[in-house]
Amino acid sequence: MAFWTTGAVGLVIAYLLGSTPTGYLAGKLLKGIDIREHGSKATGATNVLRTLGKWPALVVLVADVLKGVGAIIVARSFCPWLYAELSPTPPTAFDLQIWVPWAVCLAGIAVLFGHSRSIWLNFTGGKSAATGLGVLLAMSWPVGFGTATVFGIVLAIARIVSLSSLLAALTAIVLVCGFAQPLPYRLLVIGGGIYVIVRHRANIHRLVVGTEPRIGRSGPDAKAEAQV
């Protein structure tokens, strides 16, 4: 009973963290607007950049990354503590060694799903790239750092957020399989990476036909810019 209760609490917390609509809140607090009615109608940092400016976009980006970090902290720290408190017999170190990676995996899935399907926005949201980066950094910093590096390099060269996010997702999958990582971590990154890629399917089409806009580009086509 303690196991299932703890798992359910962890999933709910992670989902609610992911569901926090940072881009939407930025639009309401700074300009009193619904950002979903402006620009690309996205709630991610890219549309915040186009609609509200650089600093609000940076704040939203950092906040979305921290949502992923927070979900992993909950899975690694709060959930084991709650499990020990609720369990009639304290879990052994071996039990936690087996259980915690799976808790991290489920929390990562929940926070990604929460970001893209926010309960506060009628189950709509972003594409989970920034939140996914936060999950990676908290789960395995070498994988997260490598993924962030690829994202930054591609963005600096191509200036296309969606392309950077797609290549970063693929990089994360390669790195997590290359480094020594627990099976639940690998499953999370592979599943999460595929989820991020699928969420970018419209961007992939625009990349193929050459109509995906770049950062700094103005004009009607900019409305198609991807979410982060």
Side-chain angles (χ1 to χ4, degrees):
M1 185 64 181
F3 173 83
W4 296 109
T5 300
T6 302
V9 170
L11 284 175
V12 170
I13 293 175
Y15 174 79
L16 291 177
L17 279 173
S19 288
T20 306
T22 48
Y24 174 82
L25 291 174
K28 285 293 185 180
L29 293 174
L30 296 177
K31 286 192 175 181
I33 62 172
D34 184 342
I35 198 170
R36 297 173 297 173
E37 299 174 355
H38 298 266
S40 66
K41 305 187 185 332
T43 61
T46 303
N47 196 34
V48 173
L49 173 64
R50 294 189 178 279
T51 307
L52 304 176
K54 294 180 180 179
W55 289 110
L58 179 60
V59 171
V60 168
L61 177 64
V62 171
D64 285 346
V65 170
L66 289 177
K67 291 194 296 188
V69 173
I72 302 305
I73 291 175
V74 167
R76 279 184 171 163
S77 301
F78 175 74
C79 285
W81 171 83
L82 183 61
Y83 185 17
E85 289 294 314
L86 296 178
S87 179
T89 58
T92 65
F94 180 76
D95 291 335
L96 293 178
Q97 184 179 3
I98 298 297
W99 180 75
V100 169
W102 286 107
V104 168
C105 176
L106 293 176
I109 292 171
V111 74
L112 292 177
F113 187 75
H115 181 79
S116 61
R117 302 294 181 187
S118 172
I119 192 174
W120 313 117
L121 300 178
N122 296 320
F123 298 100
T124 61
K127 293 178 179 172
S128 302
T131 301
L133 177 60
V135 169
L136 290 175
L137 289 170
M139 185 190 72
S140 173
W141 74 263
V143 176
F145 180 76
T147 301
T149 300
V150 169
F151 179 90
I153 291 173
V154 175
L155 184 61
I157 295 173
R159 301 189 66 79
I160 301 177
V161 175
S162 60
L163 179 62
S164 304
S165 298
L166 289 166
L167 292 180
L170 292 172
T171 299
I173 293 173
V174 171
L175 291 178
V176 81
C177 292
F179 287 109
Q181 298 292 335
L183 176 62
Y185 290 7
R186 291 183 175 181
L187 293 176
L188 168 61
V189 175
I190 293 171
I194 293 173
Y195 183 66
V196 169
I197 292 170
V198 170
R199 293 284 294 168
H200 281 82
R201 56 191 179 276
N203 305 89
I204 293 172
H205 172 73
R206 290 194 292 269
L207 286 167
V208 171
V209 299
T211 58
E212 183 76 341
R214 302 172 187 269
I215 289 292
R217 179 176 176 179
S218 58
D221 291 339
K223 292 185 178 181
E225 185 62 59
Q227 292 170 297
V228 173

